Amino acid sequence: MRLERAELLHVALPLITPFRTSFGTMTSKDTFLLHIVTDRAEGWSEFAADPEPLYCSEFLAGAEIVIRDFLLPRAAALRTLTTAALAPALAAVKGHELAKAALETALLDAELRAHGMPLATFLGSVHERVPAGVSVGIKDSLPELLDDVERYLAEGYVRIKLKIEPGWDVAPVRAVRERFGEALPLQVDANTAYTLADAEHLRKLDEFGLLLIEEPLEENNLHAHARLQRRLATPVCLDESIHNARDAASAIAMDACRVINIKPARVGGYPEARRIHDLAAAHGVPVWCGGMLETGIGRAPNLALAALPGCTLPGDTSASGRYFAEDITEPFVLRDGHLPVPTAPGIGIDPLPDALARFTTARRQLYPRT
Ligand code: OSB
Ligand code: MG
């Protein structure tokens, strides 16, 4: 394939309810879609991070520059542009996994559409639908939290993840356990809010039979996570600290985690996500597919990943209605606690022209430079 054009569409979708984590509160999904045109087909992707570098070091405005000035020129210079050729061509650019994932996914979408192949087939997915968990933000009060959890369970979500931070950890977990019972699949996510000095406190969570505790300590501090894991019965799950398969290999070898949250964007794209899945499976380490409050454009390819055989825990891939009153694609609807894996070629979904027009706040051509 040959790259003909790449454009960025900045979109802003209001969230149904504010989403509060230990690193901030989001009230809208404010991101860009990347649309590429090749001589064979077109492709779409969604940048996963936010306007501010609070979850990870990457952010919207920075990613636009990285894609425009450093990634697209390398893609355009390839004699034959394929997904397989792209990653080595981008390797000279350090870091910026989320920006690379946006470009690679748009290209992969175009390439698979040209071949008439769904992403799920390309990845080797084995399920037609995947169980959906839901990530529940930090609330002002326990009654408010219990109401939210009750509503999600009534909708059919099969697993609850509670966002935690110092001051909002043992009490909400205890309240949810007391109200909904021991059998509820329950886990927590601290988004790096604790330090090793909190180990004794975090041990109090052990009595609640959690599936896992996600990214309790500083990003990239595998050593501290390994020391914490030695003191906890609850499996440690890494999110922010895993940027590629090499990190995953180190973390597993060090026993810094016993579960991995795979976010394809965070690890540079779907092929690397697949490698982490395979590596973890070879070590008997369960993985699951995380989320970043994506619109349908980002959610569709995540569902293909979530359908891999090693994704043995429910993911954070919730239905469109958990986030938005109106999505930018046909909405993903929860049925029987599951979401369908797209079956159309590529990521398997397109933006709805009308919704796209209404949610788009800016549009810029990135290649060729005008
Ligand atoms: O840490 O998994 C996280 C959302 C934004 C940024 C980071 C995280 C999250 C979530 C929500 O937990 C996942 C989702 O529902 O998409
Ligand atoms: Mg997380």
Side-chain angles (χ1 to χ4, degrees):
M1 296 195 299
R2 206 170 24 76
L3 184 65
E4 291 181 349
R5 196 159 57 82
E7 64 169 347
L8 165 158
L9 293 87
H10 191 170
V11 295
L13 284 76
L15 291 175
I16 282 185
T17 53
F19 184 66
R20 181 172 152 207
T21 68
S22 63
F23 62 82
T25 302
M26 291 174 63
T27 56
S28 77
K29 181 67 200 183
D30 201 341
T31 189
F32 62 78
L33 306 182
L34 192 63
H35 176 220
I36 68 161
V37 179
T38 76
D39 55 331
R40 296 283 312 278
E42 301 187 13
W44 287 92
S45 69
E46 174 176 337
F47 180 65
D50 302 315
E52 295 181 86
L54 303 181
Y55 161 76
C56 65
S57 64
E58 293 182 68
F59 61 102
L60 232 47
E64 177 172 352
I65 294 173
V66 169
I67 293 172
R68 186 192 66 196
D69 293 352
F70 307 122
L71 305 186
L72 279 169
R74 285 175 165 81
L78 286 172
R79 195 124 51 101
T80 22
L81 178 61
T82 62
T83 307
L86 183 68
L90 301 185
V93 177
K94 302 290 192 291
H96 296 285
E97 288 83 6
L98 285 91
K100 289 175 180 173
L103 178 56
E104 189 194 61
T105 303
L107 179 65
L108 181 57
D109 184 31
E111 194 174 359
L112 290 174
R113 283 177 200 246
H115 285 90
M117 181 185 285
L119 178 62
T121 306
F122 172 76
L123 291 175
S125 307
V126 295
H127 305 292
E128 288 171 7
R129 52 178 214 155
V130 292
V134 59
S135 176
V136 185
I138 295 167
K139 305 288 163 181
D140 290 334
S141 70
L142 293 176
E144 226 182 296
L145 175 72
L146 294 175
D147 282 354
D148 275 20
V149 172
E150 179 165 40
R151 205 182 61 250
Y152 289 131
L153 292 176
E155 287 175 25
Y157 285 103
V158 303
R159 181 226 71 191
I160 298 292
K161 161 168 140 182
L162 302 181
K163 290 293 195 179
I164 60 168
E165 66 182 3
W168 182 266
D169 43 34
V170 176
V173 169
R174 175 175 286 124
V176 168
R177 270 283 178 249
E178 278 174 2
R179 171 82 167 270
F180 302 102
E182 296 299 313
L184 170 69
L186 182 65
Q187 63 193 52
V188 294
D189 186 358
N191 290 110
T192 75
Y194 298 87
T195 74
L196 205 47
D198 299 310
E200 277 313 298
H201 178 69
L202 292 174
R203 255 156 65 97
K204 294 180 192 154
L205 292 171
D206 277 349
E207 68 172 283
F208 299 105
L210 300 176
L211 288 168
L212 56 90
I213 177 169
E214 188 177 339
E215 200 74 23
L217 310 179
E218 308 86 4
E219 176 177 345
N220 301 339
N221 198 342
L222 296 184
H223 178 67
H225 279 102
R227 290 182 60 185
L228 179 66
Q229 181 68 90
R230 269 190 256 149
R231 297 169 67 176
L232 294 186
T234 306
V236 170
C237 170
L238 289 177
D239 172 358
E240 285 90 333
S241 290
I242 305 295
H243 306 277
N244 48 54
R246 192 185 58 233
D247 288 345
S250 300
I252 292 170
M254 293 169 65
D255 197 22
C257 67
R258 293 178 183 169
V259 182
I260 295 174
N261 169 349
I262 304 181
K263 289 179 184 168
R266 200 195 61 232
V267 301
Y270 288 84
E272 189 73 359
R274 167 80 216 216
R275 285 188 280 275
I276 294 176
H277 161 277
D278 294 352
L279 170 88
H283 285 85
V285 169
V287 301
W288 52 281
C289 182
M292 295 282 283
L293 314 178
E294 289 91 349
T295 76
I297 293 295
R299 188 163 314 280
N302 280 347
L303 289 167
L305 184 92
L308 287 172
C311 292
T312 51
L313 291 170
D316 278 346
T317 44
S318 306
S320 301
R322 180 257 177 270
Y323 311 97
F324 313 113
E326 184 189 359
D327 204 335
I328 220 159
T329 62
E330 288 292 347
F332 285 96
V333 179
L334 196 67
R335 269 181 85 175
D336 231 356
H338 290 65
L339 290 183
V341 178
T343 54
I347 65 170
I349 204 158
D350 290 293
L352 298 169
D354 188 54
L356 185 64
R358 273 180 292 111
F359 288 123
T360 300
T361 55
R363 204 170 172 135
R364 287 187 282 279
Q365 181 160 309
L366 302 184
Y367 180 87
R369 291 299 300 280
T370 45

